[in-house]
Amino acid sequence: MKSSVPDKIRSVLIKALLAAAIPGGIWCLGILCFVVFPEKVFLALFSAAVLFSLIAASFFYRPLLWGVWGIEGALLIYFACLTPAMQFKGVKWQSPWARRPQAVFLENRKIRFTGVRDFLYRSEKDFTPRYCEMVVSIEDIQHIDLALSHWDGMESVAHTMLGMQFSDGQYLCLSLETRLPEGKEQSAIGGLFKQYELIPLLGTRRDIFDLRIKHRGEDFYLYRTTLSKEQSQQLLVFLARNLKRPPEFYNTLTHNCSTALDLFLHIAGSGPVDDIRLLFNGFSDQLLFELGYLRHRRGESFASLKSRSFIPGKSAGIADEKE
């Protein structure tokens, strides 16, 4: 007797669930190790061993498959519902990211930024934490800069930042960074499992840029963008308003420092940009050059612009702000 259509559909569904159970189990392994039992390696591995044993057994005894997906489904739902407030309740943050900046709109189209980082560095690890307040006029913003900083000689990956110059001499930097709890180091895998926050860090040029140039010795490039004055004002206002949003998780692939580029492209009025250089953001400066968003000389090649935009160590070319 031929199988009925519902039987065929059921057979295909079961095979699909069996095939998906393995990658689902691998993801659940990460949830167990990083979220459910972060400090209890034995419990995490034991739970994962039980889950994978059930997956293996379900290939021979299909009714177990529903139990497997019951466990995996519960873990996936818990992970999806996990918020930064739940994950980081009572957490003490490492000093460089201990304080989130805030913004208040004032009269006469001014904005007061508090919690602007202005650490005094003697070396990368030896510093005096300090914060300042900046009151800026929306009308006074002159231009937006884009900064890319490469570390360990990696060309394809960079940290992207924005700088905002005001006519009164103030310079405000935006750096979206990984906010690390005390005792944790950043890892690419941990960044997939809601282990860190993404913090919109505001700081002075002396702090945000000089830290990477002078004390970390990174390859640093600073470009003037072609955003108009009106677009620059829009970006400033958008940034100030978004500081009030609830904290968000950092994600290694989808929500990281490159989000600053998304903000830039949104304000620039660019449509969706489907280019792998947004993933390998070390090449994002070339992409923005091709899109016409980096100011350059008439007929100048990108190679020439990049060479001119390089900032050598010891903060040459970047004037320190007044104490």
Side-chain angles (χ1 to χ4, degrees):
M1 181 181 295
K2 293 184 178 180
S3 299
S4 65
V5 173
D7 288 339
K8 290 181 178 179
I9 294 176
R10 184 174 183 275
S11 176
V12 170
L13 176 61
I14 289 176
K15 289 179 180 178
L17 289 174
L18 277 171
I22 296 176
I26 294 173
W27 188 259
C28 287
L29 171 61
I31 297 174
L32 288 168
C33 291
F34 286 99
V35 181
V36 181
F37 302 117
E39 306 297 333
K40 301 176 181 178
V41 177
F42 175 78
L43 277 177
L45 295 180
F46 175 77
S47 300
V50 171
L51 176 59
F52 279 96
S53 296
L54 289 173
I55 293 173
S58 66
F59 278 85
F60 302 98
Y61 185 61
R62 296 299 170 81
L64 285 176
L65 179 61
W66 308 113
V68 167
W69 272 106
I71 296 172
E72 291 189 2
L75 287 171
L76 292 172
I77 291 172
Y78 169 72
F79 182 74
C81 294
L82 191 64
T83 65
M86 295 164 57
Q87 176 74 334
F88 303 119
K89 184 178 181 180
V91 162
K92 183 178 180 181
W93 300 103
Q94 293 184 24
S95 181
W97 308 280
R99 187 171 173 182
R100 293 180 65 92
Q102 301 292 330
V104 177
F105 287 87
L106 307 175
E107 295 179 351
N108 300 321
R109 286 177 58 79
K110 291 186 177 182
I111 306 173
R112 177 189 293 117
F113 291 102
T114 57
V116 178
R117 206 177 75 178
D118 188 29
F119 284 17
L120 179 62
Y121 293 94
R122 291 169 288 276
S123 69
E124 180 182 359
K125 302 295 184 182
D126 181 16
F127 53 81
T128 301
R130 63 182 186 181
Y131 296 87
C132 65
E133 176 182 293
M134 280 192 185
V135 177
V136 300
S137 171
I138 298 173
E139 309 296 337
D140 287 346
I141 191 166
Q142 291 185 313
H143 59 256
I144 303 293
D145 293 330
L146 172 75
L148 268 72
S149 193
H150 302 257
W151 64 95
D152 294 338
M154 292 191 295
E155 183 181 5
S156 61
V157 180
H159 183 68
T160 56
M161 296 158 283
L162 297 177
M164 290 158 274
Q165 178 70 61
F166 296 86
S167 58
D168 60 1
Q170 295 190 95
Y171 194 94
L172 182 64
C173 298
L174 167 65
S175 176
L176 298 178
E177 300 193 1
T178 313
R179 197 181 195 192
L180 301 175
E182 287 283 3
K184 279 195 176 183
E185 294 185 2
Q186 185 174 356
S187 76
I189 296 178
L192 296 172
F193 292 98
K194 299 185 176 181
Q195 294 302 289
Y196 323 115
E197 274 189 10
L198 182 68
I199 182 171
L201 191 66
L202 296 181
T204 62
R205 181 168 47 189
R206 175 176 49 214
D207 182 321
I208 303 298
F209 287 177
D210 277 12
L211 169 63
R212 296 178 178 276
I213 299 169
K214 184 176 181 180
H215 300 292
R216 294 182 181 172
E218 297 179 2
D219 294 330
F220 194 95
Y221 297 86
L222 188 64
Y223 302 95
R224 181 72 49 84
T225 74
T226 58
L227 288 188
S228 66
K229 186 177 182 68
E230 181 181 0
Q231 289 173 322
S232 299
Q233 293 174 357
Q234 290 174 359
L235 189 147
L236 176 64
V237 171
F238 187 85
L239 166 63
R241 287 176 176 165
N242 273 263
L243 290 179
K244 298 179 180 180
R245 293 178 60 181
E248 299 176 316
F249 285 113
Y250 169 92
N251 185 282
T252 303
L253 297 178
T254 63
H255 205 46
N256 48 49
C257 76
S258 293
T259 305
L261 292 177
D262 296 335
L263 170 61
F264 176 86
L265 291 170
H266 171 75
I267 296 299
S270 173
V273 178
D274 184 17
D275 195 295
I276 197 171
R277 285 171 290 187
L278 287 179
L279 179 60
F280 295 99
N281 60 359
F283 304 115
S284 58
D285 48 357
Q286 183 176 4
L287 170 62
L288 294 178
F289 175 82
E290 293 171 3
L291 292 173
Y293 294 143
L294 299 186
R295 193 171 299 178
H296 58 282
R297 297 167 181 167
R298 184 183 297 273
E300 184 177 25
S301 67
F302 172 70
S304 172
L305 174 63
K306 185 166 185 174
S307 178
R308 288 196 300 110
S309 303
F310 177 69
I311 306 294
K314 302 300 181 184
S315 300
I318 296 183
D320 282 344
E321 296 164 309
K322 293 181 180 180
E323 294 286 346

